[in-house]
């Protein structure tokens, strides 16, 4: 990670304003047109779930504000991020799966399947959880394929925030092709403009993927 010098950073005053808020995150919910990706996955026999996680992680790497964090009370720029994905275990409770980005989707899907299967057989407080959760280089991703929500609110702890973005994907509507996405970001690091640009980057990643 690279420290960001506050003396030359345009967001220095914004960072100072928001970093110590009791609840410094703001949320935006958008309806995405995911029909092209869904149809592509159907025709190419690829996992729709794995595909949009892969592409969200790719977009986070391409749009650098999504890799800003707060470490030791100062802003830093990460060079890479991992996805901490909430998945449903056989007992209807959730587990955390940790995915690294790969250049090739086939390799990502292979590794993601292995990680998912292993995580679902472990308790919530697994060795992977102890070694990974709470690290700054994560993107928190949840999936609610049962709900076409229009708003979302996360549970928050009183601990020191690292500024980790939180993404929640909702139910895909097969009739309209729409799918809700909730995005929470730390206001000391990002504004609404940055969220809009991230969504644009994500959709561009989807378009490129569907043309491969």
């Amino acid at each position: 990670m690279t420290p960001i010098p506050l003396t030359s950073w345009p967001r220095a005053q914004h960072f100072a304003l928001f970093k110590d808020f009791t609840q410094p995150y703001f949320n935006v919910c958008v309806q995405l047109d995911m029909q092209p990706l869904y149809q592509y996955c159907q025709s190419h026999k690829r996992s729709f779930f794995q595909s949009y996680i892969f592409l969200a992680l790719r977009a986070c790497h391409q749009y650098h504000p999504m890799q800003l964090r707060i470490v030791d009370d100062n802003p830093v720029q990460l060079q890479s991020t991992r996805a901490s994905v909430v998945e449903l275990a056989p007992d209807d409770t959730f587990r955390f799966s940790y995915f690294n980005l790969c250049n090739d989707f086939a390799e990502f899907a292979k590794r993601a399947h292995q990680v998912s299967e292993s995580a679902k057989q472990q308790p919530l407080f697994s060795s992977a959880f102890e070694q990974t959760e709470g690290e700054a280089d994560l993107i928190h991703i949840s999936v609610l394929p049962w709900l076409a929500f229009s708003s979302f609110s996360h549970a928050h702890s009183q601990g020191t925030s690292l500024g980790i973005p939180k993404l929640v994907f909702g139910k895909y509507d097969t009739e309209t092709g729409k799918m809700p996405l909730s995005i929470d970001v730390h206001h000391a690091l990002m504004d609404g403009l940055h969220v809009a640009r991230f969504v644009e980057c994500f959709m561009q990643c989807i378009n490129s993927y569907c043309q491969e």
Side-chain angles (χ1 to χ4, degrees), residues 49-50 53 57 81-90 93-101 108-130 132-133 137-143:
F49 161 72
Q50 289 178 343
I53 297 297
L57 196 51
T81 49
R82 298 171 289 171
S84 171
V85 182
V86 174
E87 297 195 83
L88 193 67
T93 61
F94 69 83
R95 301 292 187 272
F96 293 106
S97 294
Y98 301 103
F99 301 148
N100 292 309
L101 181 63
F108 175 83
K110 178 181 177 181
R111 295 183 182 181
H113 176 74
Q114 294 171 345
V115 169
S116 296
E117 291 303 305
S118 176
K120 292 173 184 178
Q121 302 305 316
Q122 303 296 320
L124 177 63
F125 297 136
S126 64
S127 58
F129 177 92
E130 294 175 359
T132 310
E133 202 59 40
D137 67 330
L138 298 176
I139 300 287
H140 290 158
I141 302 179
S142 296
V143 178

Side-chain angles (χ1 to χ4, degrees), residues 146-202:
W146 319 279
L147 294 174
F149 57 78
S150 58
S151 64
F152 197 90
S153 178
H154 285 278
H156 288 272
S157 71
Q158 295 299 315
T160 301
S161 174
L162 295 169
I164 294 175
K166 305 175 188 297
L167 308 180
V168 184
F169 291 92
K171 182 180 180 179
Y172 175 73
D173 189 323
T174 56
E175 293 185 2
T176 66
K178 299 296 184 182
M179 183 176 181
L181 170 61
S182 166
I183 306 175
D184 278 62
V185 296
H186 199 295
H187 213 345
L189 302 175
M190 295 175 66
D191 300 323
L193 174 63
H194 302 103
V195 175
R197 288 177 175 169
F198 168 71
V199 171
E200 181 180 3
C201 181
F202 180 45

Side-chain angles (χ1 to χ4, degrees), residues 36-37 40 44 46 203-212:
L37 178 62
Y40 178 86
H44 289 75
R46 294 187 177 184
M203 298 308 295
Q204 289 173 350
C205 287
I206 290 176
N207 292 336
S208 297
Y209 180 78
C210 292
Q211 294 173 6
E212 293 177 358

